[in-house]
Amino acid sequence: MKKITASLCVALLFLPLSGFAEGPDAYEIMKKVDERYEGDTRSSTSKLILIDKQERQRVRELSVFAFKKEGVEKSLIFFRSPPDVEGTTYMSFDWQSPDNEDENWLYLPALKQIKRIAAANESGAFMGSDFSYADINGLELDDYTYTLESESESVNGHDCWLIRATPKSDEVVNATGYTEVKAWIRKDIFMRVKAIINVKKGQRVKYFAISDLEQIDGIWTALTLQMVTTRNGKREHSSLLKIDNIQYNKGVDETLFNTEAMRRGL
């Protein structure tokens, strides 16, 4: 089943007010977002910056690889630094067929153990960040009902649709932790540039935004992704994912995506 992804991401990816009725238009828009071409292979180096209430920062350096073929998209994230997370590896298989459950693994070098993360429990924080496993892996397109709230909203000077997504079942809410997502979709490139996400746990609200948008190898790419977590209107903490270098269709080898590679690391 296809997913709405935020970058890698991160996965990401992955609703009703007066004036617009629920219907196929909003779904078709989100389907085009989901089907936006992001290369058959990708490789990048990135920094994941964790920012606490006191604005103190912790920086984690990553290498990310992705390989897509008919029926599945595979991704692999290696943590290169600092020492407390060095060697940690995350791998996911996003299967297109609903008959195949998506597969996710996390390797923790301190324990020398690979942990399986169930697709039905992706609400946890990804490596202590404000991005959840659901954000990294992407949200299932057909798990949500879509409503067009506004036909025209401006974000950074670009015309966008405002679309609300509501989960179709409690199982989806429990798996992702999200009760509602409002997304601003840039009309010219079918890309999510901003979102407000209601979180079930603690009645928190998360704010997602992208910046430093560039066309690389013909593919629109956000080089900075931000997620801010708030509670009662106050910021609790936030995370930045900054992509330093990304290459598309440069021959990432599918044999890289296995548990032995997770253990070996880079």
Side-chain angles (χ1 to χ4, degrees), residues 16-22 147-151:
L17 273 186
S18 59
F20 295 94
E22 178 184 312
T147 303
L148 184 63
E149 287 200 346
S150 175
E151 290 184 325

Side-chain angles (χ1 to χ4, degrees), residues 68-137:
K68 186 176 183 179
K69 66 177 183 180
E70 186 176 357
V72 65
E73 181 168 358
K74 302 179 180 182
S75 62
L76 193 58
I77 302 174
F78 293 102
F79 284 78
R80 306 195 316 270
S81 71
D84 62 327
V85 297
E86 184 180 359
T88 301
T89 309
Y90 179 69
M91 183 169 68
S92 68
F93 289 1
D94 173 16
W95 296 97
Q96 185 175 19
S97 171
D99 296 331
N100 294 327
E101 184 178 86
D102 293 339
E103 300 171 276
N104 312 298
W105 301 267
L106 181 67
Y107 174 63
L108 301 171
L111 301 177
K112 296 183 179 180
Q113 186 178 79
I114 292 178
K115 175 184 176 183
R116 183 77 177 266
I117 298 172
N121 186 24
E122 296 182 340
S123 62
F126 176 71
M127 294 297 293
S129 75
D130 294 86
F131 297 98
S132 69
Y133 286 96
D135 297 323
I136 298 298
N137 296 336

